Amino acid sequence: FLFGEHAREFVSVEAALRLSSVLIGDDESEELNELGREVLEKYDVVSIPVANPMGRQKAENGEFCYRDNANGVDLNRNWDAHWDASLNDGNTNSGSGPFSEPETKILRDVMTETSPHIFMTVHSGTLGMYTPFAYSTSVPTGPEESEMLSMILPLDEKYCQCPMGAAGKEVGYLCPGTCLDYAYDVLNVPFAFAFEIYGDENERRKCKEEFERQKM
């Protein structure tokens, strides 16, 4: 699990803390504590709660809309997965090269060492349950894609009612150089997801409309 890649997405880190409380059996919900115990009987869980600590510090100190790391680089455009050098300004500066930033180097090494079977990155700003690819509107052709969709469809229907599927196709814009595509395309993680877990009332309404359109 990778949380807090973008500095301003505070709720992502709060989700990491809630997950941790569940996994150590210290959540207010005993039902979730039991679920956490069941998970740890089957899986090793690696969680990065704050992937962008210096950027988050800037956001906490009053730059509430700050997205990047301390060097002004969008960490989720800095991965060596279809990295795009033309992204060099605004909120999507991809850096001087793939893995130019210390944060993405560390995250890459952790992911390589742990060799995960499932990868999930958690963001906010809208609602969505996404699968690879983010850099393109194309959809993976391997059998895992349909399996990933079958996993998240019941979750989406029960909890989110938001767009789901290949990120580049469903988000509305392309995102080269992401951790999602690096996990799936480079590290060959068979099940890779990017969840967007918060949007304002207007955003939630639009997301629900899109979910209903997808169902039809």
Side-chain angles (χ1 to χ4, degrees):
F1 291 93
L2 177 57
F3 301 91
E5 202 172 10
H6 290 140
R8 65 191 181 195
E9 297 174 8
F10 293 161
V11 71
S12 172
V13 177
E14 294 302 313
L17 296 177
R18 182 74 188 274
L19 173 65
S20 297
S21 71
V22 168
L23 292 175
I24 65 172
D26 193 36
D27 192 75
E28 59 191 25
S29 166
E30 187 50 42
E31 181 181 2
L32 287 180
N33 289 334
E34 178 58 32
L35 181 60
R37 287 189 285 269
E38 292 176 9
V39 167
L40 290 181
E41 287 176 1
K42 299 179 181 179
Y43 301 102
D44 294 324
V45 178
V46 177
S47 175
I48 308 292
V50 187
N52 183 6
M54 300 304 290
R56 181 182 169 95
Q57 188 175 49
K58 289 173 73 75
E60 286 182 343
N61 288 339
E63 296 183 55
F64 299 123
C65 292
Y66 194 78
R67 170 184 169 98
D68 302 330
N69 74 347
N71 297 328
V73 173
D74 182 344
L75 297 180
N76 206 30
R77 300 295 185 274
N78 190 238
W79 296 74
D80 193 10
H82 310 278
W83 181 82
D84 187 348
S86 69
L87 301 177
N88 54 20
D89 63 300
N91 279 332
T92 53
N93 177 8
S94 61
S96 59
F99 297 121
S100 63
E101 304 310 298
E103 296 91 344
T104 46
K105 286 178 179 142
I106 292 169
L107 295 169
R108 173 200 62 195
D109 293 347
V110 170
M111 289 172 61
T112 302
E113 291 166 11
T114 55
S115 187
H117 185 65
I118 300 171
F119 172 79
M120 183 182 294
T121 178
V122 179
H123 292 266
S124 67
T126 185
L127 296 175
M129 304 179 79
Y130 301 124
T131 60
F133 296 108
Y135 76 93
S136 165
T137 57
S138 63
V139 177
T141 57
E144 296 87 358
E145 173 65 11
S146 60
E147 290 185 53
M148 284 190 278
L149 293 177
S150 68
M151 286 179 188
I152 61 179
L153 176 58
L155 297 174
D156 193 354
E157 199 153 25
K158 184 174 182 180
Y159 296 107
C160 194
Q161 295 97 52
C162 58
M164 59 172 279
K169 184 179 177 184
E170 302 300 337
V171 170
Y173 54 88
L174 300 182
C175 305
T178 64
C179 58
L180 175 69
D181 288 342
Y182 186 82
Y184 187 81
D185 234 9
V186 180
L187 294 184
N188 298 314
V189 179
F191 303 103
F193 303 97
F195 283 4
E196 294 271 359
I197 63 170
Y198 178 79
D200 62 23
E201 185 176 351
N202 186 52
E203 188 69 17
R204 291 196 300 271
R205 178 184 56 77
K206 290 191 295 184
C207 289
K208 188 168 185 178
E209 289 173 357
E210 178 60 20
F211 173 73
E212 294 297 335
R213 186 196 65 78
Q214 282 188 312
K215 281 177 57 178
M216 293 294 292

